[in-house]
Amino acid sequence: MTNAVSVLVVEDEALIRMDIADQLEREGFVVFEAANADQAIIVLDAQPGVRIMFTDIDMPGSMDGLKLAAAVRHRFPPIQIIVTSGHRVVEISEMPDGSVFFGKPYRHEAVMASMRQLLSEAPPRR
């Protein structure tokens, strides 16, 4: 990627989160990490440049990934959202408009292509 784009990875399983973050960093993204929705909101408040949130659904804490996605769409509308789960398939109607779903295990190349597509469709976050 020519310009570094910031991505927030929200995943409660540390090894999975680190693997995703490493893959994204190798692709040129600036990566922030959160283990749950509460941490994710703190990161988003502190990092106004985040353009994409990649979140798992099943997480401990005050809300799951779907509720987090809805909260992010409401509070930070320009952020593009990718939702993932290894335990369920999500209907498009369960996610905020414009969101993308990947079941686990997902192909890294497919996620990268989706991120690039989402970025090409959205204005930068201010």
Side-chain angles (χ1 to χ4, degrees):
M1 301 202 62
T2 56
N3 295 328
V5 172
S6 295
V7 176
L8 172 60
V9 174
V10 188
E11 168 66 61
D12 62 312
E13 295 189 38
L15 293 177
I16 294 172
R17 187 175 63 247
M18 289 186 308
D19 182 56
I20 296 164
D22 183 57
Q23 290 178 28
L24 291 170
E25 286 171 348
R26 279 188 265 137
E27 293 286 340
F29 290 95
V30 174
V31 180
F32 297 94
E33 299 179 38
N36 58 50
D38 297 320
Q39 288 178 6
I41 297 297
I42 291 168
V43 170
L44 292 173
D45 281 335
Q47 300 296 332
V50 171
R51 303 260 324 267
I52 299 176
M53 180 180 69
F54 183 89
T55 184
D56 188 28
I57 292 177
D58 300 309
M59 295 182 292
S62 66
M63 59 182 122
D64 68 13
L66 288 175
K67 289 179 183 172
L68 173 61
V72 167
R73 176 60 73 235
H74 177 73
R75 283 187 61 187
F76 311 97
I79 294 177
Q80 300 300 308
I81 300 168
I82 298 177
V83 177
T84 185
S85 178
H87 303 289
R88 57 188 275 198
V89 175
V90 177
E91 298 297 324
I92 196 79
S93 62
E94 296 178 78
M95 298 185 303
D97 288 344
S99 299
V100 176
F101 175 78
F102 284 95
K104 291 180 184 177
Y106 43 79
R107 287 185 24 251
H108 174 72
E109 299 79 18
V111 172
M112 291 301 100
S114 181
M115 285 186 174
R116 289 185 183 96
Q117 179 68 32
L118 288 170
L119 288 169
S120 72
E121 297 170 356
R125 181 177 169 207
R126 306 229 185 264

